[in-house]
Amino acid sequence: MKDAMPQLATDEGRPVADTLAQSPLAIRGMTVSYGEEPAIFSIDLTAEPGAMTAIIGPNGAGKSTLLKAALGIVRPLSGRATVFGKPLAKQRARIAYVPQRASVDWDFPTTVMDVALMGLSRELGLLRPVRARHVTRALACLDRVGMADFADRQIGQLSGGQQQRVFLARALAQDAELYLLDEPFAGVDAATERAIIVVLKELRAEGRTVVAVHHDLSTVAQYFDNVFLINRRKIAEGSVETAFTAANLQEAYGGRLATGQIDQLVLGTV
Amino acid sequence: MIGAEFMALSLPPLLIGTFAAIACALPGNFLVLRRQALIGDAISHVVLPGIVVAFLVTGRIGTWPMMLGAAGAALIAVGLIELIRRLGRVDAGAAMGVTFTAMFAGGVLLLEQSDTSSVHLDVQHALYGNLESLIWLEAAGWESLLDPVALASLPPELTRITVTLVAVVAFIRLLWRPLKISTFDEGFARAQGVPATILGLALVVTAASAAVAAFDAVGSIIVIAMFICPPAAARLMTERLEAQIWWSVAFACLSAVLGYVLAGYGPLWLGGQNSVSAAGMIATVSGMILAATALFAPHRKAS
């Protein structure tokens, strides 16, 4: 399938077979189109185990689409994703996904505890009753993001930052090995941003893999180990030191970032 | 003996009205939360030509021909919408609007042109149903409930709507968790492996089955009202989906019973002569409940 696509993404020439088998998330030749123009085109991505990777690129670059395609939420025209070397369908229990906060209706009649319990839904199945131990686990996850006191609140009564933390708690309840987050810091307060990054770094310390769509270039070097630059096509992939460069940013963002801005961002990382 | 008269004349319509209201209100909760509430409206319009054609082909009103005709009409509607959307380059909402109204109009035309005088199928039936005529002639009193011969003469609409209600309840109970999760956060549900597309389709099919079964007995007015009014009113009473479901069932029952009683006796109390359409009154009561909750319920939106 990939052979049919023109090879526009750069190939690092790394031993593909090895990384495919080991990588928590390996995407190959992924192309997604919503209309006539492809939203993402022939994307290859290989997430490093136990590391934090930021997917960055300008608005409309296809960052969220890439995550959704990797999770099978949108159907790609071509390409595939493997999770720990196996097809996605058999690995769902090893993945936790935090969608964009704005993608759901927070007016939905449900409580903070209920949302956290949704993280246990694979374990609960269709009809198994929620037991005290499930509630205890969900509460522990809420506690980890500082939301345990809000367990009985309706989710619409929370601030944006609190809602984002509840989403993270739901993902924590999944106890996954691979965490995929879509803009976890978008529109949250400073305290929430700190709370979230602390939890993500804890996950990394536990050997779990984090891949997050990230929009704030000024914090990339501070928060993440690796970057994946995308603007519909893959621009670059690698450690912050090697891939988060002025040339790559210039290519990804084009004229949208002033040269002075880019210098500041990149120099700040050295 | 008031028992016998009640059993024969009022119990079947009350039960059918109540069951139809609940069967529509239950899936309506999810449709309203998914912003698909008008699908109920659409379904009840689209199925009319299917039911009429099924009648013209088989010459009778039976459960299976009706269901098949309705399902066929729904399929044609989906195809037409897609066709209009592609060829006409208009958005899905416009294509749906054109299709549903056109198919309903087609159904009405068919009805007027065909000889349906032998059965109770006409335009008014399509809108208001024939709730008042669903009587149980064999009923002699409460003891008839235990008499197999008398039970056999219960209106067939009652059996249909009861079976449909049981199926609707089973669907929602069994698939409660995936329904709830995919209604709240479809992306997360899909990432968890919930087949959200199939589930969404199953919900619409369930709603359509309830609509068709209810349509036969109580007409499209109640179907439209019950998909939307009890769930919308229930949402204003609580912040929990589980409680919302129960409130919607309570409001559906209240609408059906109160509406039926008011239709039968309301005009007399006001000094009038005739009773009014039960279906119309049930829909009116459900609308009044929604208005009351919008004004006084505990969980109205702040602004």
Side-chain angles (χ1 to χ4, degrees), chain A residues 105-156:
Chain A
D105 173 14
W106 289 91
D107 204 30
F108 192 86
T110 197
T111 60
V112 167
M113 171 56 78
D114 255 358
V115 174
L117 281 169
M118 285 178 193
L120 298 173
S121 57
R122 282 188 72 86
E123 193 178 319
L124 287 165
L126 286 181
L127 296 169
R128 235 160 281 147
V130 174
R131 307 246 181 238
R133 62 188 156 91
H134 298 124
V135 174
T136 310
R137 265 175 62 192
L139 206 57
C141 294
L142 286 171
D143 194 38
R144 220 171 142 183
V145 296
M147 289 299 293
D149 291 342
F150 296 83
D152 293 328
R153 290 278 189 93
Q154 196 265 328
I155 52 174

Side-chain angles (χ1 to χ4, degrees), chain B residues 78-95:
Chain B
V78 171
L80 269 179
I81 290 165
E82 202 52 32
L83 198 71
I84 294 172
R85 205 173 63 82
R86 296 247 170 114
L87 294 182
R89 291 176 184 272
V90 293
D91 76 324

Side-chain angles (χ1 to χ4, degrees), chain A residues 73 92 97 99 104-105 107-110 114 118 121-122 124-128 154-155 167 170 174, chain B residues 33 35 173-174 177-178 180-181 183-185 187-188 190-193 235 239-242 244 301:
Chain A
I73 297 171
R92 300 247 182 225
Y97 169 53
V104 307
D105 173 14
D107 204 30
F108 192 86
T110 197
D114 255 358
M118 285 178 193
S121 57
R122 282 188 72 86
L124 287 165
L126 286 181
L127 296 169
R128 235 160 281 147
Q154 196 265 328
I155 52 174
F167 258 17
R170 179 177 69 176
Q174 290 180 264
Chain B
L33 289 170
R35 312 254 184 275
R173 180 65 200 94
L174 281 175
R177 279 193 187 128
K180 178 175 166 179
I181 292 174
T183 301
F184 170 57
D185 189 345
F188 178 79
R190 283 178 192 273
Q192 293 264 70
R235 174 65 188 88
E239 299 279 32
R240 299 210 52 153
L241 185 57
E242 291 77 2
Q244 180 187 323
K301 273 197 210 144

Side-chain angles (χ1 to χ4, degrees), chain B residues 19-20 23-24 26 63 67 157-171 205-214:
Chain B
F19 289 178
C24 292
L26 281 175
T63 308
M67 285 289 184
E157 285 86 352
L158 181 57
T159 320
R160 273 180 224 156
I161 196 67
T162 307
V163 170
T164 308
L165 178 60
V166 170
V168 168
V169 170
F171 171 78
V205 168
T206 303
S209 310
V212 172

Side-chain angles (χ1 to χ4, degrees), chain A residues 63-223:
Chain A
K63 305 184 292 288
S64 297
T65 301
L66 178 60
L67 271 198
K68 287 180 185 164
L71 286 158
I73 297 171
V74 298
R75 193 189 295 259
L77 283 179
S78 68
R80 67 200 168 87
T82 56
V83 175
F84 296 102
K86 298 204 185 78
L88 175 74
K90 295 187 171 144
Q91 302 282 60
R92 300 247 182 225
R94 300 171 82 177
I95 314 173
Y97 169 53
V98 180
Q100 274 183 30
R101 185 167 56 84
S103 69
V104 307
D105 173 14
W106 289 91
D107 204 30
F108 192 86
T110 197
T111 60
V112 167
M113 171 56 78
D114 255 358
V115 174
L117 281 169
M118 285 178 193
L120 298 173
S121 57
R122 282 188 72 86
E123 193 178 319
L124 287 165
L126 286 181
L127 296 169
R128 235 160 281 147
V130 174
R131 307 246 181 238
R133 62 188 156 91
H134 298 124
V135 174
T136 310
R137 265 175 62 192
L139 206 57
C141 294
L142 286 171
D143 194 38
R144 220 171 142 183
V145 296
M147 289 299 293
D149 291 342
F150 296 83
D152 293 328
R153 290 278 189 93
Q154 196 265 328
I155 52 174
Q157 300 168 3
L158 307 177
S159 72
Q162 290 170 328
Q163 289 171 346
Q164 188 68 57
R165 288 196 236 177
V166 173
F167 258 17
L168 183 58
R170 179 177 69 176
L172 292 174
Q174 290 180 264
D175 194 20
E177 293 161 69
L178 169 63
Y179 280 78
L180 301 179
L181 304 94
D182 198 344
E183 304 238 2
F185 304 112
V188 303
D189 53 282
T192 295
E193 182 152 343
R194 277 196 301 277
I196 292 176
I197 198 66
V198 164
V199 170
L200 295 184
K201 287 187 169 170
E202 284 170 9
L203 291 174
R204 179 179 60 184
E206 293 161 10
R208 303 176 210 252
T209 306
V210 175
V211 177
V213 171
H214 192 58
H215 66 293
D216 182 4
L217 293 177
S218 67
T219 51
V220 168
Q222 192 187 340
Y223 292 169

Side-chain angles (χ1 to χ4, degrees), chain B residues 3 7 15 27 30 44 52 56 80 86 90 95 107 133 146 158 169 180 210 223 229 231-232 245 255 269 279 302-303:
Chain B
M7 295 295 283
L15 284 180
F30 289 100
S44 59
V52 177
L56 292 176
L80 269 179
R86 296 247 170 114
V90 293
S133 69
L146 299 171
L158 181 57
V169 170
K180 178 175 166 179
V223 173
C229 291
I245 298 283
S255 306
W269 295 337
S303 55

